[in-house]
Amino acid sequence: MTPGKDYIGVGCGLLVVNDKQEVLLMLRNASIRNDRNLWSQPGGAVEFGETIEQAIKREAVEEIGVEVELLELLNVNDHMIDGAHWIAPAYLCRIISGELKNMEPEKCEEIRWFSLSALPENLNENTKNSTTVLKRRAT
């Protein structure tokens, strides 16, 4: 059985913010299965026996090479894409240690900081939702 296909999958996202109130986004490669050429927040599937908070911390290390502190739950994304269905809570986070690095160049061609007022147009749906919530809180 496949998560997201045979039953609703559980994922997680992290919207990393820095001291300048910029958010960290990843540009997904053209060669991957979903959200090709779109900017996204880091994240991934929650593994069996793992809490969402543990998954977020693991994904931060696996994808961007840093440890994060979870600040708050931003939103819960109900994501349907290419015949798959995922529920993915997204947390606002900040880096507490490590050196920011693209740890998955086969999936992501670039990582970059963006101000909330200058986000790229080509955001994936989950990232649009999370940044919209963050923008509302900033006003």
Side-chain angles (χ1 to χ4, degrees), residues 50-67:
E50 182 178 52
T51 68
I52 292 166
E53 292 84 0
Q54 289 167 334
I56 287 171
K57 290 178 179 184
R58 175 183 48 77
E59 290 288 346
V61 171
E62 289 177 1
E63 292 190 358
I64 56 176
V66 297
E67 291 185 27

Side-chain angles (χ1 to χ4, degrees), residues 9-13 41 44 73 75-79 86-90 126 130:
V10 178
C12 64
Q41 59 198 357
L73 175 66
N75 63 316
V76 178
N77 292 293
D78 194 358
H79 193 60
W86 289 84
I87 301 295
N126 288 350
S130 297

Side-chain angles (χ1 to χ4, degrees), residues 96-107:
I96 56 173
S97 69
E99 185 175 327
L100 189 61
K101 181 180 178 187
N102 180 3
M103 302 296 289
E104 297 181 326
E106 70 284 357
K107 294 180 184 177

Side-chain angles (χ1 to χ4, degrees), residues 82-96:
D82 297 332
H85 187 180
W86 289 84
I87 301 295
Y91 276 76
L92 184 64
C93 300
R94 70 177 183 92
I95 296 172
I96 56 173

Side-chain angles (χ1 to χ4, degrees), residues 8 18 32 38 58 75 116:
I8 298 171
N18 65 16
I32 61 172
L38 297 180
R58 175 183 48 77
N75 63 316
L116 287 174

